[in-house]
Amino acid sequence: MSKIISGFSKFSKDEKVDWLLKNYFTNSSEALKVIQQYWNDDEKLQQLHDDFIENTITNFYMPFGVAPNFVINNREYTIPMVLEESSVVAAASLVGKFWSTRGGFKTTVIGTTKIGQIHFMFAGKKGDLESYFAKNKIELFAATASITQNMEKRGGGILDIKLVDKTDKLANYYQLHITFETKDSMGANFINSCLEAIAKKFEKDDIEIVMSILSNYVPECLVRAEVSCKIEELGGENPQKFAEKFYQAVKIAEIEPFRAVTHNKGIMNGIDAVVLATGNDFRAIEAGAHAYASRSGTYTSLSHCTINDGVFKFWFEIPLALGTVGGLTALHPMAKFSLELLQKPSARVLMQIIAAAGLAQNFAALRALTTKGIQHGHMKMHLQNILNQFDATVEEKEEITAYFDKRTVSHSAVVEKLKSLRKPKVKWVDFLDFDTIKYKLSTLSEDSKPVFGQMNAQQMIEHLSAVTQIANGNWNINVFVSDEKTARRKPFLQTENELQTGFRASFIADEPIKLKFSSIEIAIDDLLYQLQSFLLVFKREENRTVVHPFFGELNFEEWKKFQVKHFTHHFKQFDLL
C-alpha cells in the first residue's frame, strides 16, 4: 500500500497521529503511548508548542542543564544549556569555576553587522549598471522606509548597499550586498523583508532577480573571548608541561583540518547549547562559525593559544548573530526563563556569554585530551546514560558507579556488570549446618529424579561423602595437579560463580559408582560423620593442606569454599534449594 498522501497538513493532530500509526507501526498502541506521554497536560501550552512548526504530533524533550560559577567581564553568571551529550555541562561548570579564580573570561564585541544579499543577472554593460545603481541607491533605502522605521528608532537599520561584480565566477552574475544593524533582534525576518522590498525597487527589464536572502555568514558580527593567567597558576603537578601540551594541541588544530573539525565541534558543544536554551538559531550559528573557520581557504581552528613571558593565553573570535527579542525568544517559556536567568542580557551581552561558554568547553576538551584523555570524563557521564537505558535502580546505579570509579567504562563492560548484579543470587548451601543438611537430604527417596546428571539420590549423597573423605585424608587419589594448573584454577574458589552443570573431575568415573550403603538414611549418617571428621582433622592441625584432585593443594578455608560450591551443585541437582 502506498504511503504517499495528499492533504496531510489539513488533517487534525489526532488524524495525523492515526495515519502514522496505521501506516508505520506494528504496535500502534505502544507507539501512541510514546507520543502521548510527551504531550503537555496544559493544553494552552501544548498548543503553543504545536504552533512552532508544521505537522506537529508531539514534543521531543531535551535536557535543560545549568553551568554555574562563570565570571564574565567581572560579572557572575549561571549559564543555561540545552543538549543531549553527556559531560558537556559538567565540563563547562568545572572550567567556569576554574577560571573564576583566575580573572574570569574577558569578552569584547568587535562588531554586530549582519548581511543580506540580492543575487541577480545582468547581461549589459557594467558601466550602465553602475550608473543605474548610483542613481537609484537613495531610492533603494527609501523603498524600505515602512519596514525600517521601528528598527531605526532603536538605533538599527540598513547600514549600506553595495554593488558587487561576480561575473569572474559566473557569467552575468552580480549582487547587491547589504549590511544591517538589528540591535537586540536576530533580524532574519527584518532583513529578508528589506531585501525583497529593495529587489522589487531595483529590478527592471534587463535585471533579473534570482533571489533575495540574508546570509548566515556574518564575519563582521564578531565577538572575542579570552582567558589568561600566569603559567604557574594553571595548577597541577607540572603547569609548564600542561601549558606546552595545550599549546601544541591548539597548534595541531590550526594546521590539520581533520583535527580542526573535531576541535571546533567542541567549541560548538558549548555555544549551541546556550543558543538553543535562549531560543536562537543554532543551525545558523553553526554554519557561520564553520564558514569563518574556513575564511583563509583552509579549514582551521577557531581558537588560539600563546605561552609568552610566563603567561598562558587562550582565546578565539567567532561570528554570532543572536537576538534577545522577537522570534522564539519571545514565545518559548524556557527561552524566556533562560534569558531571565542570564539577567536579561542585550544581544551584545548574550554574544559575550555564549562565546565564553564555547571557549570554556574548548578549554575543557583540550585539558582532558592532553591529560587524562577525553574518554575518562566523557564515559563516566555516559555511564549514567547506559544505566538509564537499562532502567537501573538507584541501588544498581550507586554500586556500578562505585565499581567504575577507577575502571574503564565501556558499554559492554557496564552491561556485563549490570547483568552480574541482576543474576539470580545463588542460595549457597551451608554444608556445616548439619541439621539442615540432614533435613534436606531426608526428603529424597529411591524414586527421586535428578534435574541433571546420571546419579540417583543415594549415589549423590555417597559422592559428597567420598569427596569429603579426600579432605579428611581417608581417600588418597593418585592425581598430580601442577602448580601452573593450581594457580589458574584456585582463584575460582574465591568467586561467586557456581560449578557448571556437567563439571566432572578426572578422577570421577564416567558411570556412577555402585552403592556402598544399603539405604539413603545410612548414607546420610555417613556423610554427616565425614563432615564432623572434616572439622576435627583441620582443628587438630590448623596448617594442614590436602591436595584436591582438580584444584590442587588446598588449606581449610579453601576446602570450605569448595565444599560450599560442591554441595550447592548437587543440592541443585535434586532440586533441594
Side-chain angles (χ1 to χ4, degrees):
M1 185 177 72
S2 175
K3 293 182 175 63
I4 304 300
I5 183 172
S6 298
F8 183 76
S9 63
K10 295 180 173 62
F11 284 6
S12 68
K13 183 175 177 178
D14 288 339
E15 289 171 336
K16 290 170 184 171
V17 169
D18 184 59
W19 182 84
L20 289 171
L21 297 179
K22 287 179 179 178
N23 282 276
Y24 289 96
F25 296 89
T26 53
N27 189 342
S28 58
S29 60
E30 185 62 27
L32 179 61
K33 181 181 177 182
V34 172
I35 288 171
Q36 291 181 337
Q37 72 183 359
Y38 287 97
W39 286 352
N40 199 296
D41 292 335
D42 185 330
E43 292 185 6
K44 185 177 179 181
L45 183 58
Q46 182 56 56
Q47 188 60 54
L48 175 67
H49 284 76
D50 287 351
D51 291 342
F52 285 157
I53 62 169
E54 308 76 34
N55 295 339
T56 306
I57 62 166
T58 192
N59 305 312
F60 189 99
Y61 289 0
M62 292 275 279
F64 183 106
V66 294
N69 301 318
F70 271 78
V71 175
I72 305 170
N73 294 340
N74 300 317
R75 189 172 185 179
E76 296 173 356
Y77 290 93
T78 292
I79 298 180
M81 305 181 81
V82 173
L83 79 166
E84 86 300 338
E85 184 173 335
S86 58
S87 81
V88 172
V89 177
S93 301
L94 287 171
V95 171
K97 188 173 184 179
F98 177 86
W99 284 107
S100 69
T101 60
R102 294 165 175 81
F105 293 83
K106 303 302 180 185
T107 59
T108 306
V109 173
I110 298 171
T112 57
T113 300
K114 295 166 188 174
I115 294 167
Q117 294 173 318
I118 298 171
H119 306 270
F120 66 94
M121 311 304 284
F122 176 73
K125 294 180 179 179
K126 181 180 177 181
D128 293 343
L129 179 63
E130 289 173 335
S131 298
Y132 174 73
F133 171 71
K135 181 179 178 181
N136 290 278
K137 186 173 180 178
I138 302 279
E139 295 299 319
L140 298 181
F141 278 98
T144 65
S146 62
I147 304 170
T148 60
Q149 58 181 350
N150 288 331
M151 184 65 75
E152 288 171 352
K153 289 177 182 178
R154 300 198 301 270
I158 299 173
L159 301 177
D160 196 11
I161 306 175
K162 292 180 179 178
L163 175 65
V164 179
D165 182 354
K166 290 282 186 176
T167 55
D168 61 326
K169 300 280 197 309
L170 177 64
N172 304 325
Y173 170 41
Y174 292 86
Q175 298 173 0
L176 290 185
H177 187 88
I178 306 171
T179 49
F180 297 84
E181 170 59 62
T182 60
K183 304 307 287 183
D184 287 337
S185 168
M186 190 277 170
N189 290 332
F190 168 76
I191 292 173
N192 286 333
S193 295
C194 289
L195 293 174
E196 290 181 1
I198 293 171
K200 186 176 180 181
K201 181 69 176 177
F202 187 68
E203 189 173 26
K204 62 189 184 91
D205 290 343
D206 55 352
I207 293 177
E208 180 186 5
I209 304 296
V210 177
M211 56 185 167
S212 305
I213 187 70
L214 64 77
S215 174
N216 290 127
Y217 182 43
V218 284
E220 295 177 6
C221 188
L222 204 62
V223 60
R224 177 187 174 97
E226 177 185 309
V227 288
S228 64
C229 68
K230 293 180 179 178
I231 291 175
E232 61 263 28
E233 293 174 357
L234 289 169
E237 295 180 2
N238 190 335
Q240 180 67 38
K241 181 64 176 177
F242 165 73
E244 289 171 359
K245 286 188 70 177
F246 192 102
Y247 169 81
Q248 290 164 349
V250 175
K251 285 298 177 185
I252 289 170
E254 288 179 352
I255 65 170
E256 172 51 66
F258 283 92
R259 170 59 199 143
V261 171
T262 311
H263 178 95
N264 291 343
K265 186 268 184 184
I267 294 172
M268 303 315 292
N269 277 347
I271 287 177
D272 287 355
V274 193
V275 171
L276 194 55
T278 55
N280 277 279
D281 187 348
F282 71 93
R283 297 160 302 277
I285 297 297
E286 278 272 353
H290 294 300
Y292 191 73
S294 304
R295 65 193 183 279
S296 67
T298 301
Y299 191 91
T300 185
S301 168
L302 287 165
S303 60
H304 308 282
C305 178
T306 59
I307 43 174
N308 295 325
D309 301 323
V311 175
F312 172 88
K313 183 185 292 185
F314 181 52
W315 78 96
F316 69 22
E317 293 176 2
I318 190 166
L320 294 176
L322 302 167
T324 56
V325 298
L328 204 62
T329 59
L331 289 175
H332 200 298
M334 290 306 298
K336 290 190 284 187
F337 175 91
S338 296
L339 291 172
E340 186 168 353
L341 175 63
L342 292 173
Q343 304 165 63
K344 299 181 179 180
S346 65
R348 290 176 66 92
V349 173
L350 184 60
M351 288 171 69
Q352 296 173 78
I353 293 170
I354 291 178
L359 191 67
Q361 192 57 40
N362 195 209
F363 180 85
L366 291 173
R367 181 168 65 173
L369 282 167
T370 56
T371 52
K372 295 181 178 180
I374 198 70
Q375 290 299 89
H376 178 80
H378 183 78
M379 291 306 292
K380 294 290 184 183
M381 296 298 296
H382 186 51
L383 171 62
Q384 301 306 314
N385 289 342
I386 300 172
L387 294 176
N388 288 332
Q389 179 184 348
F390 288 92
D391 297 319
T393 65
V394 173
E395 292 75 16
E396 288 172 336
K397 286 181 178 179
E398 289 177 352
E399 183 165 346
I400 291 176
T401 300
Y403 176 81
F404 282 103
D405 183 50
K406 290 182 171 61
R407 292 177 172 87
T408 300
V409 177
S410 71
H411 188 278
S412 58
V414 175
V415 171
E416 189 64 31
K417 180 62 178 176
L418 190 57
K419 283 181 178 178
S420 72
L421 291 182
R422 291 176 173 178
K423 186 178 180 180
K425 299 298 182 183
V426 179
K427 296 175 68 175
W428 297 111
V429 173
D430 182 358
F431 74 101
L432 296 178
D433 181 354
F434 299 151
D435 291 339
T436 300
I437 295 295
K438 184 174 183 178
Y439 169 75
K440 291 281 189 181
L441 293 177
S442 295
T443 64
L444 298 174
S445 68
E446 294 180 0
D447 298 325
S448 298
K449 301 296 182 183
V451 177
F452 57 86
Q454 301 178 42
M455 292 181 182
N456 62 33
Q458 186 172 333
Q459 287 169 332
M460 179 271 289
I461 296 169
E462 292 186 8
H463 168 71
L464 289 174
S465 179
V467 173
T468 303
Q469 289 181 59
I470 298 175
N472 298 347
N474 297 331
W475 183 18
N476 293 318
I477 303 296
N478 188 21
V479 174
F480 172 74
V481 184
S482 68
D483 291 342
E484 182 271 329
K485 288 182 178 179
T486 297
R488 190 172 69 247
R489 293 170 177 176
K490 271 175 65 172
F492 171 79
L493 299 176
Q494 308 299 327
T495 71
E496 289 296 307
N497 298 328
E498 301 177 75
L499 294 173
Q500 294 182 355
T501 300
F503 171 80
R504 182 174 58 83
S506 59
F507 72 96
I508 303 294
D510 291 339
E511 298 296 327
I513 60 174
K514 292 182 180 180
L515 294 176
K516 181 179 180 180
F517 301 104
S518 60
S519 69
I520 285 179
E521 290 75 16
I522 297 174
I524 293 172
D525 288 340
D526 178 68
L527 173 60
L528 294 174
Y529 170 76
Q530 297 300 334
L531 291 175
Q532 291 168 341
S533 298
F534 173 79
L535 292 176
L536 288 173
V537 296
F538 278 102
K539 185 176 182 180
R540 285 197 297 263
E541 191 180 347
E542 292 183 356
N543 296 324
R544 169 189 176 88
T545 60
V546 181
V547 175
H548 184 282
F550 181 80
F551 291 102
E553 192 171 30
L554 304 181
N555 61 27
F556 178 51
E557 292 300 322
E558 291 166 339
W559 266 105
K560 283 199 299 182
K561 289 181 182 297
F562 166 74
Q563 289 282 64
V564 167
K565 292 180 185 292
H566 195 218
F567 271 70
T568 300
H569 178 75
H570 286 294
F571 271 48
K572 277 192 169 184
Q573 184 182 16
F574 283 87
D575 202 19
L576 295 176
L577 296 180

